[in-house]
């Protein structure tokens, strides 16, 4: 199970949709976390595009739902465009703004739309003897702003997509590493030096399955962001 929706398109392709949202994060008086709107949308776009690209899909378009106000649209678009720059993408953006009802807290929703060849979809393709690691650390809220150096960079994520011997890359969300692990392995236990139940907010880390021969390369690419998982059968 992955956080994407795949819909048959033709004999060879599927449409893929990935979504993310945030609430109470922005510059309104009652927001829980104070953050500029380009930062808010940057991380929302990051999540949805990482989810899309991690299964082998090619992004085609982006949808923005702005519940802040009309005046925040350009800042939100700027954040999305920054995400695209870091992922070497150029996508059309459409969406809508709530301009009738003023809200007391900020809210933003994003959807990435893409296509994937059925034979190239990277879901449930990890062999049983694969090794696993977490790259990046689980962070949420203000920690995302103050500990940027512990977040997996999009440049590194993009490189991992191209490494031979990397089977699957699974962005970790708000339910933590253990949640993503259980979706893949059921009750199969794991050991990791990171807090496995901590929220990873806007996909600040990823689970990676890989052939053991690629471990030195992954350690070199990720540096101190590489956290091996020791799983027990």
């Amino acid at each position: 199970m992955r956080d994407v929706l795949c819909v048959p398109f033709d004999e060879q392709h599927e449409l893929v949709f990935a979504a993310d949202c945030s609430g109470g994060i922005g510059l309104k008086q009652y927001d829980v976390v104070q953050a500029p709107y380009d930062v808010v949308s940057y991380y929302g776009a990051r999540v949805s595009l990482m989810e899309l690209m991690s299964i082998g899909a090619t992004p085609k378009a982006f949808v923005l739902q702005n519940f802040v106000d009309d005046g925040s649209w350009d800042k939100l678009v700027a954040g999305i465009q920054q995400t695209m720059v870091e992922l070497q993408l150029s996508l059309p953006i459409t969406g809508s703004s709530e301009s009738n009802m003023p809200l007391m807290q900020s809210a933003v929703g994003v959807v990435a739309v893409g296509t994937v060849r059925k034979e190239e979809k990277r879901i449930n393709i990890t062999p049983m003897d694969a090794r696993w690691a977490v790259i990046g650390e689980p962070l949420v809220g203000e920690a995302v702003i103050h500990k940027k150096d512990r977040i997996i960079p999009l440049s590194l994520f993009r490189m991992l997509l191209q490494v031979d011997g990397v089977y699957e890359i699974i962005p970790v969300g708000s339910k933590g590493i253990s949640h993503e692990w259980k979706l893949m392995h059921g009750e199969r236990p794991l050991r990791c030096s990171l807090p496995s139940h901590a929220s990873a907010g806007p996909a600040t880390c990823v689970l990676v399955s890989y052939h053991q021969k690629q471990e030195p390369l992954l350690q070199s690419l990720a540096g101190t962001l590489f956290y091996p998982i020791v799983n027990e059968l």
Side-chain angles (χ1 to χ4, degrees), residues 28-31 102-106:
K28 295 198 173 190
Q29 179 181 354
Y30 294 103
D31 284 334
L103 302 181
M104 297 179 70
Q105 288 182 300
S106 302

Side-chain angles (χ1 to χ4, degrees), residues 53-147:
M53 297 172 71
S54 68
I55 71 157
T58 301
K60 298 294 186 180
F62 204 90
V63 182
L64 167 64
Q65 300 292 348
N66 167 27
F67 297 94
V68 181
D69 52 46
D70 272 339
S72 300
W73 177 265
D74 289 344
K75 284 288 188 181
L76 291 168
V77 168
I80 295 167
Q81 290 174 333
Q82 178 59 36
T83 309
M84 292 181 187
V85 167
E86 294 181 21
L87 288 171
Q88 297 186 354
L89 299 172
S90 179
L91 306 176
I93 301 173
T94 188
S96 180
S97 295
E98 173 56 78
S99 56
N100 295 309
M101 302 296 176
L103 302 181
M104 297 179 70
Q105 288 182 300
S106 302
V108 177
V110 293
V111 179
V113 183
T115 60
V116 66
R117 291 182 63 86
K118 295 177 183 179
E119 63 189 34
E120 297 175 358
K121 189 163 60 173
R122 299 170 72 168
I123 297 180
N124 296 327
I125 63 169
T126 299
M128 286 296 296
D129 62 350
R131 292 192 178 182
W132 289 84
V134 178
I135 298 179
E137 296 182 8
L139 300 170
V140 70
E142 293 185 355
V144 174
I145 298 172
H146 299 308
K147 296 184 178 181

Side-chain angles (χ1 to χ4, degrees), residues 200-218:
T204 58
C205 62
V206 296
L207 268 172
V208 179
S209 63
Y210 57 93
H211 192 285
Q212 62 178 359
K213 69 179 182 181
Q214 293 295 56
E215 185 156 298
L217 174 60
L218 296 180

